[in-house]
Amino acid sequence: MPAAVYVLGLSVFALGTSEFMLSGLLQPLARDLDVSIPQAGYLVSAFAVGMVVGAPLLAAATLRLPRRTTLVALLAVFGLGQVAGALAPTYGVLFASRVVSALACAGFWAVGAAVAISLVPVNARARAMAIMVGGLSVANVFGVPAGAFVGQHWGWRAAFWAVAVLAAIGLVGVLTVVPSTKPPTGADRPVLRRELRIYADRQVWLAVAITALNAAAVFALFSYLSPLLTDVAGLAESWVPTVLALFGVGALIGTFIGGRVADAHLFGTMYLGIAASAVVLGLLAITASNPVAAVTLSLLLGVTAFFTAPAINARMFNVAGAAPTLAGGTTTASFNIGNTVGPWLGGLVISANLGYRAVAWTGALLAVLALAGTALASRLHRSEGDSSGHHHSEVVAASEQQRSVGATDAAGEAVPSEADASGAERIRS
Protein backbone atom coordinates (compact mmCIF):
# COMPACT_ATOMS: atom_id res chain seq x y z
CA MET A 1 0.00 0.00 0.00
CA PRO A 2 1.53 3.36 -1.01
CA ALA A 3 2.64 5.62 1.85
CA ALA A 4 0.43 8.39 0.41
CA VAL A 5 -2.68 6.39 1.33
CA TYR A 6 -1.56 6.32 4.97
CA VAL A 7 -0.95 10.07 4.89
CA LEU A 8 -4.50 10.55 3.63
CA GLY A 9 -5.72 8.36 6.51
CA LEU A 10 -3.79 10.57 8.96
CA SER A 11 -5.47 13.65 7.51
CA VAL A 12 -8.87 11.98 7.86
CA PHE A 13 -8.03 11.45 11.54
CA ALA A 14 -7.87 15.23 11.96
CA LEU A 15 -11.09 15.73 9.99
CA GLY A 16 -12.95 13.05 11.94
CA THR A 17 -11.80 14.38 15.29
CA SER A 18 -13.19 17.81 14.44
CA GLU A 19 -16.45 16.35 13.14
CA PHE A 20 -17.29 14.31 16.23
CA MET A 21 -15.45 15.96 19.14
CA LEU A 22 -18.25 18.44 19.88
CA SER A 23 -20.27 15.62 21.44
CA GLY A 24 -17.94 15.91 24.45
CA LEU A 25 -17.72 19.72 24.43
CA LEU A 26 -21.35 20.85 24.20
CA GLN A 27 -21.82 21.79 27.86
CA PRO A 28 -18.71 23.97 28.36
CA LEU A 29 -19.18 25.47 24.91
CA ALA A 30 -22.82 26.34 25.63
CA ARG A 31 -21.90 27.95 28.97
CA ASP A 32 -19.07 30.00 27.46
CA LEU A 33 -21.11 31.30 24.52
CA ASP A 34 -24.32 31.66 26.55
CA VAL A 35 -26.48 29.40 24.37
CA SER A 36 -28.65 26.40 25.14
CA ILE A 37 -27.53 22.80 24.71
CA PRO A 38 -29.83 22.32 21.67
CA GLN A 39 -28.32 25.43 20.07
CA ALA A 40 -24.86 24.06 20.70
CA GLY A 41 -26.04 20.79 19.15
CA TYR A 42 -26.89 22.64 15.95
CA LEU A 43 -23.13 22.99 15.43
CA VAL A 44 -23.02 19.22 14.89
CA SER A 45 -25.89 19.40 12.40
CA ALA A 46 -24.23 22.32 10.61
CA PHE A 47 -21.13 20.21 10.03
CA ALA A 48 -23.14 17.25 8.72
CA VAL A 49 -25.21 19.41 6.36
CA GLY A 50 -22.04 21.12 5.12
CA MET A 51 -20.61 17.67 4.34
CA VAL A 52 -23.74 16.64 2.42
CA VAL A 53 -23.78 19.79 0.30
CA GLY A 54 -20.04 20.31 -0.01
CA ALA A 55 -18.89 16.85 -1.10
CA PRO A 56 -20.47 16.71 -4.58
CA LEU A 57 -20.18 20.46 -5.18
CA LEU A 58 -16.47 20.64 -4.39
CA ALA A 59 -15.83 17.40 -6.24
CA ALA A 60 -17.34 18.99 -9.35
CA ALA A 61 -15.65 22.37 -8.80
CA THR A 62 -12.16 20.84 -8.46
CA LEU A 63 -12.55 18.28 -11.23
CA ARG A 64 -9.86 19.78 -13.50
CA LEU A 65 -7.45 20.95 -10.79
CA PRO A 66 -4.26 19.09 -9.80
CA ARG A 67 -5.29 16.71 -7.05
CA ARG A 68 -2.40 17.31 -4.64
CA THR A 69 -2.82 21.07 -4.94
CA THR A 70 -6.52 20.66 -4.24
CA LEU A 71 -5.86 18.51 -1.16
CA VAL A 72 -3.37 21.04 0.20
CA ALA A 73 -5.77 23.94 -0.35
CA LEU A 74 -8.66 22.10 1.31
CA LEU A 75 -6.55 21.11 4.33
CA ALA A 76 -5.38 24.70 4.66
CA VAL A 77 -8.96 26.00 4.62
CA PHE A 78 -9.99 23.32 7.12
CA GLY A 79 -7.13 24.27 9.45
CA LEU A 80 -8.01 27.96 9.21
CA GLY A 81 -11.61 27.02 10.03
CA GLN A 82 -10.38 25.40 13.25
CA VAL A 83 -8.38 28.52 14.11
CA ALA A 84 -11.46 30.68 13.45
CA GLY A 85 -13.47 28.39 15.72
CA ALA A 86 -10.88 28.64 18.49
CA LEU A 87 -10.94 32.45 18.28
CA ALA A 88 -14.71 32.78 17.69
CA PRO A 89 -16.08 35.62 19.86
CA THR A 90 -19.72 34.68 19.24
CA TYR A 91 -21.88 31.66 18.50
CA GLY A 92 -22.57 32.97 14.98
CA VAL A 93 -18.88 33.11 14.10
CA LEU A 94 -18.36 29.60 15.46
CA PHE A 95 -21.35 28.34 13.45
CA ALA A 96 -19.93 29.87 10.26
CA SER A 97 -16.51 28.36 10.96
CA ARG A 98 -18.10 24.91 11.32
CA VAL A 99 -19.84 25.23 7.95
CA VAL A 100 -16.61 26.33 6.22
CA SER A 101 -14.67 23.52 7.90
CA ALA A 102 -17.32 21.01 6.83
CA LEU A 103 -17.15 22.14 3.20
CA ALA A 104 -13.36 21.76 3.18
CA CYS A 105 -13.65 18.41 4.98
CA ALA A 106 -16.17 17.15 2.41
CA GLY A 107 -13.99 18.22 -0.49
CA PHE A 108 -10.95 16.53 1.02
CA TRP A 109 -12.86 13.28 1.52
CA ALA A 110 -14.06 13.34 -2.10
CA VAL A 111 -10.71 14.17 -3.70
CA GLY A 112 -8.67 12.15 -1.20
CA ALA A 113 -10.74 9.03 -1.85
CA ALA A 114 -10.23 9.44 -5.60
CA VAL A 115 -6.47 9.83 -5.08
CA ALA A 116 -6.29 6.75 -2.83
CA ILE A 117 -8.21 4.71 -5.40
CA SER A 118 -5.94 5.94 -8.22
CA LEU A 119 -2.78 4.81 -6.42
CA VAL A 120 -3.76 1.14 -6.15
CA PRO A 121 -5.01 -1.57 -8.54
CA VAL A 122 -8.73 -2.29 -8.74
CA ASN A 123 -8.45 -5.38 -6.54
CA ALA A 124 -6.99 -3.33 -3.67
CA ARG A 125 -9.58 -0.54 -3.59
CA ALA A 126 -11.34 -1.74 -0.44
CA ARG A 127 -8.03 -1.97 1.43
CA ALA A 128 -7.13 1.58 0.40
CA MET A 129 -10.54 2.85 1.52
CA ALA A 130 -10.18 0.87 4.76
CA ILE A 131 -7.09 2.94 5.58
CA MET A 132 -8.94 6.19 4.96
CA VAL A 133 -11.99 5.03 6.92
CA GLY A 134 -9.53 3.76 9.54
CA GLY A 135 -8.51 7.37 10.14
CA LEU A 136 -12.12 8.04 11.10
CA SER A 137 -12.15 4.97 13.36
CA VAL A 138 -8.97 6.08 15.12
CA ALA A 139 -10.54 9.53 15.54
CA ASN A 140 -13.41 7.89 17.43
CA VAL A 141 -11.01 5.84 19.57
CA PHE A 142 -8.46 8.54 20.44
CA GLY A 143 -9.32 11.88 18.86
CA VAL A 144 -12.84 12.39 20.24
CA PRO A 145 -12.04 11.33 23.84
CA ALA A 146 -8.81 13.36 23.69
CA GLY A 147 -10.75 16.38 22.43
CA ALA A 148 -13.17 16.04 25.35
CA PHE A 149 -10.23 15.68 27.79
CA VAL A 150 -8.46 18.75 26.40
CA GLY A 151 -11.70 20.70 26.46
CA GLN A 152 -12.44 19.78 30.07
CA HIS A 153 -8.97 20.71 31.31
CA TRP A 154 -7.95 23.66 29.11
CA GLY A 155 -11.24 24.87 27.66
CA TRP A 156 -13.12 23.90 24.49
CA ARG A 157 -11.11 26.37 22.41
CA ALA A 158 -7.94 24.37 23.13
CA ALA A 159 -9.52 21.36 21.41
CA PHE A 160 -9.95 23.43 18.23
CA TRP A 161 -6.31 24.53 18.41
CA ALA A 162 -5.24 20.89 18.76
CA VAL A 163 -7.15 19.90 15.63
CA ALA A 164 -5.59 22.84 13.75
CA VAL A 165 -2.15 21.42 14.61
CA LEU A 166 -3.22 17.97 13.36
CA ALA A 167 -4.42 19.55 10.11
CA ALA A 168 -1.03 21.27 9.68
CA ILE A 169 0.76 17.92 10.15
CA GLY A 170 -1.53 16.35 7.54
CA LEU A 171 -0.85 19.23 5.15
CA VAL A 172 2.92 18.72 5.43
CA GLY A 173 2.42 15.00 4.83
CA VAL A 174 0.36 15.59 1.70
CA LEU A 175 2.96 18.01 0.35
CA THR A 176 5.84 15.61 0.89
CA VAL A 177 4.33 12.17 0.20
CA VAL A 178 1.31 12.41 -2.10
CA PRO A 179 2.52 12.35 -5.73
CA SER A 180 2.00 15.45 -7.84
CA THR A 181 -0.25 15.06 -10.85
CA LYS A 182 -1.04 17.38 -13.72
CA PRO A 183 -4.62 17.93 -14.84
CA PRO A 184 -5.56 15.45 -17.59
CA THR A 185 -5.63 16.90 -21.08
CA GLY A 186 -7.06 15.93 -24.43
CA ALA A 187 -9.46 13.00 -24.45
CA ASP A 188 -8.77 12.31 -20.77
CA ARG A 189 -9.73 15.82 -19.68
CA PRO A 190 -12.61 15.55 -17.17
CA VAL A 191 -15.90 16.90 -18.48
CA LEU A 192 -18.50 17.62 -15.81
CA ARG A 193 -21.43 16.86 -18.09
CA ARG A 194 -19.94 13.47 -18.92
CA GLU A 195 -19.22 12.62 -15.31
CA LEU A 196 -22.71 13.63 -14.24
CA ARG A 197 -24.01 10.77 -16.37
CA ILE A 198 -23.25 8.40 -13.51
CA TYR A 199 -26.41 9.70 -11.85
CA ALA A 200 -28.46 8.11 -14.62
CA ASP A 201 -27.30 4.69 -13.38
CA ARG A 202 -29.70 3.06 -10.92
CA GLN A 203 -26.81 1.14 -9.38
CA VAL A 204 -25.30 4.46 -8.30
CA TRP A 205 -28.55 5.47 -6.59
CA LEU A 206 -28.79 2.06 -4.95
CA ALA A 207 -25.26 2.55 -3.62
CA VAL A 208 -26.31 5.98 -2.28
CA ALA A 209 -29.35 4.47 -0.55
CA ILE A 210 -27.39 1.58 0.98
CA THR A 211 -24.68 3.92 2.29
CA ALA A 212 -27.21 6.37 3.78
CA LEU A 213 -29.38 3.64 5.34
CA ASN A 214 -26.40 1.85 6.87
CA ALA A 215 -25.09 5.09 8.38
CA ALA A 216 -28.57 6.09 9.59
CA ALA A 217 -29.01 2.70 11.29
CA VAL A 218 -25.83 3.18 13.32
CA PHE A 219 -26.17 6.88 14.15
CA ALA A 220 -29.84 6.64 15.07
CA LEU A 221 -28.61 4.65 18.07
CA PHE A 222 -25.11 6.08 18.53
CA SER A 223 -26.40 9.64 18.90
CA TYR A 224 -28.48 8.58 21.91
CA LEU A 225 -26.16 5.92 23.29
CA SER A 226 -25.27 8.03 26.32
CA PRO A 227 -28.85 8.32 27.72
CA LEU A 228 -29.50 4.69 26.80
CA LEU A 229 -26.53 3.63 28.91
CA THR A 230 -27.44 5.81 31.89
CA ASP A 231 -31.26 5.76 31.89
CA VAL A 232 -31.89 2.21 30.67
CA ALA A 233 -28.76 0.21 31.47
CA GLY A 234 -28.27 2.07 34.75
CA LEU A 235 -24.60 2.88 34.23
CA ALA A 236 -23.00 5.92 35.84
CA GLU A 237 -22.20 8.86 33.55
CA SER A 238 -18.50 8.22 34.15
CA TRP A 239 -18.86 5.03 32.11
CA VAL A 240 -20.03 6.84 28.97
CA PRO A 241 -16.56 7.91 27.64
CA THR A 242 -15.29 4.36 28.18
CA VAL A 243 -18.16 2.83 26.21
CA LEU A 244 -17.73 5.41 23.44
CA ALA A 245 -14.04 4.49 23.26
CA LEU A 246 -15.01 0.79 23.11
CA PHE A 247 -17.29 1.58 20.17
CA GLY A 248 -14.30 3.24 18.50
CA VAL A 249 -12.10 0.20 19.20
CA GLY A 250 -14.79 -1.97 17.61
CA ALA A 251 -14.87 0.38 14.62
CA LEU A 252 -11.12 0.05 14.19
CA ILE A 253 -11.30 -3.75 14.35
CA GLY A 254 -14.21 -3.85 11.92
CA THR A 255 -12.47 -1.55 9.44
CA PHE A 256 -9.31 -3.65 9.49
CA ILE A 257 -11.14 -6.96 8.94
CA GLY A 258 -13.56 -5.51 6.40
CA GLY A 259 -10.74 -4.01 4.38
CA ARG A 260 -8.99 -7.38 4.25
CA VAL A 261 -11.96 -9.39 2.96
CA ALA A 262 -14.04 -6.89 0.97
CA ASP A 263 -11.94 -6.89 -2.21
CA ALA A 264 -12.47 -10.64 -2.65
CA HIS A 265 -16.03 -10.83 -1.28
CA LEU A 266 -17.61 -7.40 -1.74
CA PHE A 267 -21.29 -8.30 -1.60
CA GLY A 268 -20.66 -10.98 0.99
CA THR A 269 -19.03 -8.38 3.23
CA MET A 270 -21.96 -6.03 2.79
CA TYR A 271 -24.51 -8.76 3.53
CA LEU A 272 -22.67 -9.99 6.61
CA GLY A 273 -21.90 -6.57 8.08
CA ILE A 274 -25.33 -5.02 7.60
CA ALA A 275 -27.18 -8.15 8.79
CA ALA A 276 -24.92 -8.33 11.85
CA SER A 277 -25.66 -4.66 12.63
CA ALA A 278 -29.40 -5.36 12.45
CA VAL A 279 -29.00 -8.30 14.85
CA VAL A 280 -26.83 -6.32 17.29
CA LEU A 281 -29.28 -3.40 17.31
CA GLY A 282 -32.21 -5.76 17.89
CA LEU A 283 -30.40 -7.51 20.75
CA LEU A 284 -29.50 -4.13 22.23
CA ALA A 285 -33.17 -3.13 22.20
CA ILE A 286 -34.08 -6.35 24.03
CA THR A 287 -31.23 -6.46 26.57
CA ALA A 288 -30.51 -2.74 27.11
CA SER A 289 -31.40 -2.95 30.82
CA ASN A 290 -28.45 -5.31 31.36
CA PRO A 291 -25.31 -3.17 31.68
CA VAL A 292 -22.92 -5.95 30.63
CA ALA A 293 -24.98 -6.68 27.52
CA ALA A 294 -25.29 -2.95 26.69
CA VAL A 295 -21.52 -2.41 26.88
CA THR A 296 -20.68 -5.58 24.95
CA LEU A 297 -23.19 -4.85 22.19
CA SER A 298 -21.93 -1.26 21.87
CA LEU A 299 -18.48 -2.67 21.11
CA LEU A 300 -19.94 -5.17 18.62
CA LEU A 301 -21.95 -2.43 16.89
CA GLY A 302 -18.69 -0.60 16.19
CA VAL A 303 -17.28 -3.79 14.66
CA THR A 304 -20.28 -4.59 12.45
CA ALA A 305 -20.90 -1.01 11.29
CA PHE A 306 -17.33 -0.33 10.18
CA PHE A 307 -16.76 -3.87 8.88
CA THR A 308 -19.12 -2.84 6.08
CA ALA A 309 -17.60 0.58 5.36
CA PRO A 310 -14.70 -0.42 3.04
CA ALA A 311 -17.03 -2.57 0.90
CA ILE A 312 -19.67 0.16 0.66
CA ASN A 313 -17.03 2.70 -0.39
CA ALA A 314 -15.48 0.34 -2.93
CA ARG A 315 -18.91 -0.50 -4.36
CA MET A 316 -19.58 3.15 -5.14
CA PHE A 317 -16.27 3.47 -6.98
CA ASN A 318 -17.04 0.30 -8.94
CA VAL A 319 -20.42 1.47 -10.21
CA ALA A 320 -19.23 5.04 -10.81
CA GLY A 321 -15.79 4.21 -12.17
CA ALA A 322 -16.11 6.74 -14.98
CA ALA A 323 -16.29 9.58 -12.44
CA PRO A 324 -14.10 8.71 -9.44
CA THR A 325 -14.04 12.21 -7.94
CA LEU A 326 -17.82 12.53 -8.07
CA ALA A 327 -18.01 8.98 -6.72
CA GLY A 328 -15.98 10.03 -3.67
CA GLY A 329 -18.12 13.12 -3.19
CA THR A 330 -21.32 11.11 -3.55
CA THR A 331 -20.17 8.54 -0.99
CA THR A 332 -19.29 11.28 1.50
CA ALA A 333 -22.65 12.98 0.98
CA SER A 334 -24.50 9.67 1.33
CA PHE A 335 -22.79 8.85 4.61
CA ASN A 336 -23.65 12.26 6.02
CA ILE A 337 -27.24 12.02 4.86
CA GLY A 338 -27.46 8.95 7.05
CA ASN A 339 -25.57 10.78 9.80
CA THR A 340 -28.26 13.49 9.67
CA VAL A 341 -31.40 11.40 9.10
CA GLY A 342 -30.58 8.70 11.67
CA PRO A 343 -30.40 11.02 14.70
CA TRP A 344 -33.47 12.90 13.43
CA LEU A 345 -35.51 9.69 13.28
CA GLY A 346 -34.19 8.68 16.69
CA GLY A 347 -35.28 12.05 18.06
CA LEU A 348 -38.78 11.57 16.63
CA VAL A 349 -39.06 8.20 18.33
CA ILE A 350 -37.94 9.65 21.67
CA SER A 351 -40.30 12.63 21.29
CA ALA A 352 -43.16 10.15 20.78
CA ASN A 353 -42.40 8.81 24.30
CA LEU A 354 -41.44 5.39 22.97
CA GLY A 355 -38.24 5.31 25.02
CA TYR A 356 -34.59 4.80 24.19
CA ARG A 357 -35.05 1.11 23.42
CA ALA A 358 -37.21 2.14 20.47
CA VAL A 359 -34.21 4.00 19.02
CA ALA A 360 -32.35 0.68 18.79
CA TRP A 361 -35.39 -0.88 17.05
CA THR A 362 -35.40 2.07 14.63
CA GLY A 363 -31.74 1.43 13.83
CA ALA A 364 -32.45 -2.28 13.29
CA LEU A 365 -35.27 -1.45 10.85
CA LEU A 366 -33.01 0.92 8.90
CA ALA A 367 -30.36 -1.83 8.72
CA VAL A 368 -32.95 -4.27 7.34
CA LEU A 369 -33.81 -1.71 4.64
CA ALA A 370 -30.10 -1.39 3.81
CA LEU A 371 -29.92 -5.18 3.58
CA ALA A 372 -32.86 -5.19 1.15
CA GLY A 373 -31.08 -2.56 -0.96
CA THR A 374 -27.95 -4.71 -1.00
CA ALA A 375 -29.97 -7.71 -2.18
CA LEU A 376 -31.45 -5.65 -5.01
CA ALA A 377 -28.02 -4.29 -6.00
CA SER A 378 -26.59 -7.81 -6.01
CA ARG A 379 -29.44 -9.07 -8.17
CA LEU A 380 -28.96 -6.26 -10.69
CA HIS A 381 -25.22 -6.88 -10.64
CA ARG A 382 -25.75 -10.51 -11.61
CA SER A 383 -28.34 -9.75 -14.28
CA GLU A 384 -26.73 -6.82 -16.06
CA GLY A 385 -23.20 -6.51 -14.66
CA ASP A 386 -21.54 -3.44 -13.15
CA SER A 387 -21.75 -0.21 -15.12
CA SER A 388 -18.00 0.03 -14.49
CA GLY A 389 -17.42 -3.46 -15.95
CA HIS A 390 -14.95 -4.41 -13.23
CA HIS A 391 -15.25 -8.18 -13.38
CA HIS A 392 -12.33 -10.31 -12.35
CA SER A 393 -11.19 -11.20 -15.84
CA GLU A 394 -11.28 -7.56 -16.88
CA VAL A 395 -9.24 -6.57 -13.85
CA VAL A 396 -6.54 -9.06 -14.82
CA ALA A 397 -6.57 -7.86 -18.41
CA ALA A 398 -6.34 -4.22 -17.32
CA SER A 399 -3.41 -5.01 -15.06
CA GLU A 400 -1.58 -6.74 -17.90
CA GLN A 401 -2.26 -3.81 -20.20
CA GLN A 402 -1.01 -1.35 -17.61
CA ARG A 403 2.23 -3.26 -17.25
CA SER A 404 2.88 -3.22 -20.99
CA VAL A 405 1.50 0.02 -22.41
CA GLY A 406 0.46 3.49 -21.29
CA ALA A 407 -2.95 3.47 -19.57
CA THR A 408 -5.09 5.67 -17.38
CA ASP A 409 -5.34 5.29 -13.64
CA ALA A 410 -8.55 4.91 -11.64
CA ALA A 411 -8.87 8.66 -11.38
CA GLY A 412 -8.92 9.04 -15.15
CA GLU A 413 -5.40 10.48 -15.25
CA ALA A 414 -2.69 9.43 -17.69
CA VAL A 415 -0.30 6.75 -16.41
CA PRO A 416 2.97 6.30 -18.32
CA SER A 417 4.17 2.91 -19.50
CA GLU A 418 7.01 0.99 -17.91
CA ALA A 419 9.19 2.15 -20.77
CA ASP A 420 8.92 5.68 -19.42
CA ALA A 421 11.44 5.54 -16.59
CA SER A 422 10.45 8.92 -15.19
CA GLY A 423 6.94 7.68 -14.48
CA ALA A 424 7.61 4.03 -13.72
CA GLU A 425 7.07 4.44 -10.00
CA ARG A 426 3.40 5.38 -10.64
CA ILE A 427 2.60 2.03 -12.22
CA ARG A 428 0.63 -0.04 -9.75
CA SER A 429 -0.12 -3.70 -10.45
Side-chain angles (χ1 to χ4, degrees):
M1 192 61 60
V5 177
Y6 291 99
V7 169
L8 293 172
L10 171 66
S11 301
V12 169
F13 170 73
L15 305 180
T17 299
S18 177
E19 182 174 2
F20 296 113
M21 72 179 181
L22 283 190
S23 59
L25 301 174
L26 289 184
Q27 289 172 310
L29 188 151
R31 287 194 298 268
D32 186 43
L33 295 178
D34 194 25
V35 296
S36 65
I37 293 293
Q39 281 180 296
Y42 292 152
L43 295 169
V44 179
S45 300
F47 201 99
V49 172
M51 292 281 285
V52 171
V53 175
L57 285 181
L58 280 170
T62 61
L63 203 58
R64 296 180 180 178
L65 298 179
R67 298 200 187 283
R68 188 177 70 173
T69 303
T70 302
L71 291 174
V72 169
L74 290 170
L75 268 180
V77 171
F78 173 81
L80 290 174
Q82 303 309 297
V83 173
L87 298 174
T90 65
Y91 173 82
V93 174
L94 180 58
F95 191 95
S97 75
R98 293 297 287 171
V99 173
V100 172
S101 296
L103 292 173
C105 179
F108 186 93
W109 261 105
V111 179
V115 171
I117 290 295
S118 74
L119 294 174
V120 299
V122 174
N123 60 357
R125 285 177 167 181
R127 274 183 291 156
M129 291 311 302
I131 292 171
M132 285 198 67
V133 175
L136 190 62
S137 302
V138 175
N140 278 291
V141 177
F142 299 109
V144 174
F149 179 84
V150 170
Q152 290 170 2
H153 288 79
W154 294 287
W156 63 269
R157 297 177 188 273
F160 279 80
W161 283 114
V163 174
V165 171
L166 289 174
I169 294 172
L171 190 151
V172 172
V174 170
L175 275 172
T176 56
V177 178
V178 175
S180 178
T181 58
K182 296 180 180 179
T185 58
D188 292 328
R189 186 185 186 191
V191 178
L192 181 59
R193 182 179 299 177
R194 185 173 62 215
E195 296 219 358
L196 287 173
R197 291 174 188 166
I198 65 169
Y199 296 122
D201 186 350
R202 55 184 173 178
Q203 283 281 29
V204 170
W205 289 108
L206 267 176
V208 168
I210 294 166
T211 304
L213 286 169
N214 184 64
V218 177
F219 283 96
L221 182 281
F222 184 76
S223 301
Y224 303 99
L225 183 58
S226 177
L228 179 75
L229 293 171
T230 56
D231 295 3
V232 182
L235 290 170
E237 285 189 11
S238 58
W239 268 92
V240 172
T242 301
V243 178
L244 293 177
L246 285 174
F247 175 89
V249 170
L252 195 59
I253 294 170
T255 302
F256 177 80
I257 299 173
R260 291 288 177 179
V261 302
D263 283 309
H265 309 284
L266 192 142
F267 276 110
T269 302
M270 291 170 66
Y271 275 128
L272 180 60
I274 297 172
S277 292
V279 172
V280 169
L281 287 164
L283 288 174
L284 188 55
I286 296 170
T287 65
S289 58
N290 184 312
V292 175
V295 172
T296 303
L297 290 169
S298 297
L299 168 66
L300 290 177
L301 182 60
V303 175
T304 60
F306 281 79
F307 173 80
T308 317
I312 287 177
N313 278 275
R315 175 64 184 163
M316 179 67 81
F317 280 96
N318 286 347
V319 297
T325 306
L326 282 185
T330 303
T331 303
T332 303
S334 303
F335 174 82
N336 282 279
I337 288 172
N339 195 10
T340 304
V341 172
W344 174 69
L345 290 175
L348 290 180
V349 169
I350 295 170
S351 299
N353 296 319
L354 296 177
Y356 293 113
R357 290 177 186 266
V359 176
W361 285 121
T362 302
L365 176 60
L366 290 167
V368 169
L369 292 175
L371 197 61
T374 302
L376 180 56
S378 178
R379 182 177 178 181
L380 288 174
H381 173 76
R382 289 194 303 269
S383 64
E384 65 186 34
D386 272 335
S387 62
S388 62
H390 285 140
H391 299 294
H392 179 69
S393 60
E394 292 169 314
V395 171
V396 174
S399 297
E400 292 299 325
Q401 181 185 18
Q402 204 173 40
R403 281 193 290 268
S404 59
V405 298
T408 58
D409 64 15
E413 297 178 355
V415 178
S417 66
E418 274 191 322
D420 183 354
S422 65
E425 70 278 7
R426 294 187 60 205
I427 302 291
R428 296 290 188 267
S429 59

